[in-house]
Amino acid sequence: MKTIKHKRAVLYSLFNFATKMKYISENPTNNIILPKSRETLIDIEFEENKGLSRDELHIVLDYCERANRDIRHTLIMEFLFLTGMRLEEVGGLQVSDLDLNNKKLSIKHVIDTKATLDSSRTLYPPKNRGSRREIHLNPRSIEIIEWFINNQLILISCSLIGMVILFSKQVVLVL
């Protein structure tokens, strides 16, 4: 339905311009009536609830714990779910982005997760200003961040996410 609405809007603009320029006397798209959407209640609920329920989250994390012998993979998955961050945003996190006293983290950078070489994984600003934001951290998110900082991890090969995750004192999580 969105595609039909978009096409009608484009045609309306085109013919409206033609009307203003006196190429035509009337906009022929004025009388177009679009068909009503036949969305079901299930479709509407699915659109509104794009996140996981608490039970679904537990199922995913339980699977991660059973399938992986390395707790780091499960912690990364849990952190993604808790914060709602994208992989690229988590990969761009730096220690300077963290304000653990105020329980906040700033998203200022993202990383190219499609890069194949570690040397080509560079930080760059998010695509738009809306992506630069602050996230308030709950106690569990802070525990996860502190776990990674305290363990001063150097390199993890993460097959679960399909990326390499680097940790050092300067960079918290880099995908």
Side-chain angles (χ1 to χ4, degrees):
M1 183 54 86
K2 291 180 183 178
T3 304
I4 294 171
K5 286 182 180 179
H6 178 73
K7 288 179 181 178
R8 182 198 178 272
V10 170
L11 288 172
Y12 177 82
S13 295
L14 174 74
F15 287 117
N16 202 37
F17 176 76
T19 305
K20 287 179 182 176
M21 298 302 293
K22 308 269 191 237
Y23 295 133
I24 58 176
S25 60
E26 186 181 332
N27 187 337
T29 61
N30 284 341
N31 299 324
I32 293 177
I33 299 172
L34 297 177
K36 297 215 177 206
S37 173
R38 294 184 185 193
E39 288 183 317
T40 64
L41 182 59
I42 293 170
D43 294 333
I44 293 168
E45 287 176 354
F46 182 76
E47 281 278 325
E48 291 174 351
N49 184 19
K50 292 183 180 179
L52 295 177
S53 69
R54 189 175 288 270
D55 292 337
E56 291 168 329
L57 174 61
H58 286 294
I59 289 169
V60 171
L61 293 177
D62 288 343
Y63 173 79
C64 290
E65 288 175 7
R66 285 191 319 268
N68 296 300
R69 295 183 183 153
D70 193 337
I71 191 170
R72 296 172 286 190
H73 300 163
T74 305
L75 289 174
I76 292 166
M77 291 296 289
E78 186 177 0
F79 186 77
L80 289 169
F81 287 125
L82 288 171
T83 60
M85 293 174 67
R86 299 175 187 94
L87 287 174
E88 295 84 1
E89 294 169 340
V90 173
L93 278 182
Q94 297 183 352
V95 172
S96 61
D97 299 333
L98 297 172
D99 182 359
L100 295 179
N101 293 330
N102 292 314
K103 301 178 183 177
K104 293 181 188 177
L105 107 89
S106 299
I107 298 177
K108 299 176 185 174
H109 309 95
V110 294
I111 196 163
D112 183 6
T113 56
K114 293 170 182 60
T116 55
L117 301 173
D118 292 340
S119 61
S120 62
R121 294 179 190 274
T122 57
L123 293 177
Y124 57 94
K127 288 183 181 177
N128 56 52
R129 289 184 183 171
S131 295
R132 289 180 62 101
R133 62 193 189 281
E134 281 190 350
I135 293 177
H136 295 278
L137 299 170
N138 66 15
R140 180 63 182 149
S141 299
I142 293 172
E143 284 177 28
I144 293 170
I145 290 170
E146 288 174 340
W147 186 90
F148 280 107
I149 291 173
N150 291 337
N151 286 291
Q152 298 181 11
L153 298 171
I154 304 300
L155 175 68
I156 303 171
S157 173
C158 184
S159 59
L160 176 68
I161 301 175
M163 299 175 191
V164 175
I165 302 172
L166 303 170
F167 300 90
S168 71
K169 290 196 179 224
Q170 290 80 28
V171 180
V172 178
L173 305 169
V174 177
L175 302 178

